[in-house]
Amino acid sequence: MPVISYDLPERFVVGTVGGPGQRAFYLQARAGSRVTSVGLEKFQVGLLAERLEELLDEVLRRSGGTAPVPAVAPESLHDDSPLDQPVEEEFRVGSMALAWDPEDERIIIEAAENDPTLLDPDEPVELEPEGSTLRVTITAAQARAFADRALRLVAAGRPPCPLCGLPLDATGHVCPRQNGHLRTI
């Protein structure tokens, strides 16, 4: 299984291609001219950002405030630029893992491809993912900036229906709370 590694990349962001309701989400790492983009789902972006924030807060709490973890993302690390073009998806993310490396005082993010076509229903499921893995090591400050951008990106989607919470398109949607009737904004 190939591992694509980035240790303190110049850029590590989440971004989208397409308009609201049609967005495709990507993690993207860049070091020099080398760029890697992996596709993932919106809910994975939100979970990754939330878990990063929780991990950083826990590291800060356990260290008694001595760990090099900023409470908020430094302004100098905010990155609102679009994804580097062209966006060429290496693989779709099936699972993710986070870790704090206490020796280097850095965050390790792994996004692994789990190809369901490789699973045999008659064989036990292996704990190791099949396919490729993107492994990125970043500082706590970079992680805060990443999480901040990711949460803003997720929130920038279509507004939720006030009745059922499902996303509203510009033309409305078939609302289950309206017994299948079209609900408009």
Side-chain angles (χ1 to χ4, degrees), residues 12 16-17 25 31 34-35 41-42 50 71 87 93 96-97 112 116-117 128 145 147 167 182-183:
F12 179 60
T16 62
V17 174
F25 289 79
R34 183 174 154 226
V35 177
E41 299 297 325
K42 179 180 178 177
E50 290 170 11
V87 176
V93 174
M96 292 184 286
T117 62
E128 289 295 315
L182 182 66
R183 169 128 176 109

Side-chain angles (χ1 to χ4, degrees), residues 17-100:
V17 174
Q22 306 288 318
R23 297 186 299 173
F25 289 79
Y26 296 93
L27 288 178
Q28 191 176 74
R30 181 185 72 213
S33 62
R34 183 174 154 226
V35 177
T36 303
S37 302
V38 297
L40 70 168
E41 299 297 325
K42 179 180 178 177
F43 81 90
Q44 290 173 303
V45 172
L47 284 175
L48 177 58
E50 290 170 11
R51 297 300 184 263
L52 268 173
E53 291 284 354
E54 290 171 6
L55 177 60
L56 292 169
D57 291 345
E58 183 64 15
V59 167
L60 195 56
R61 185 189 69 75
R62 286 189 182 194
S63 73
T66 61
V69 177
V72 296
E75 191 64 37
S76 62
L77 293 179
H78 282 261
D79 181 350
D80 291 324
S81 299
L83 293 172
D84 293 329
Q85 298 296 320
V87 176
E88 296 175 359
E89 184 176 305
E90 298 283 330
F91 61 86
R92 297 285 309 161
V93 174
S95 62
M96 292 184 286
L98 296 175
W100 171 255

Side-chain angles (χ1 to χ4, degrees), residues 89-148:
E89 184 176 305
E90 298 283 330
F91 61 86
R92 297 285 309 161
V93 174
S95 62
M96 292 184 286
L98 296 175
W100 171 255
D101 179 351
E103 189 174 306
D104 291 334
E105 297 182 321
R106 295 185 183 152
I107 293 283
I108 301 166
I109 300 169
E110 286 191 356
E113 172 184 31
N114 288 339
D115 186 351
T117 62
L118 298 176
L119 298 177
D120 181 348
D122 297 325
E123 294 292 321
V125 176
E126 292 185 27
L127 296 177
E128 289 295 315
E130 297 287 338
S132 299
T133 298
L134 172 64
R135 179 180 298 138
V136 180
T137 305
I138 55 177
T139 66
Q142 289 172 311
R144 286 276 190 213
F146 175 91
D148 182 56

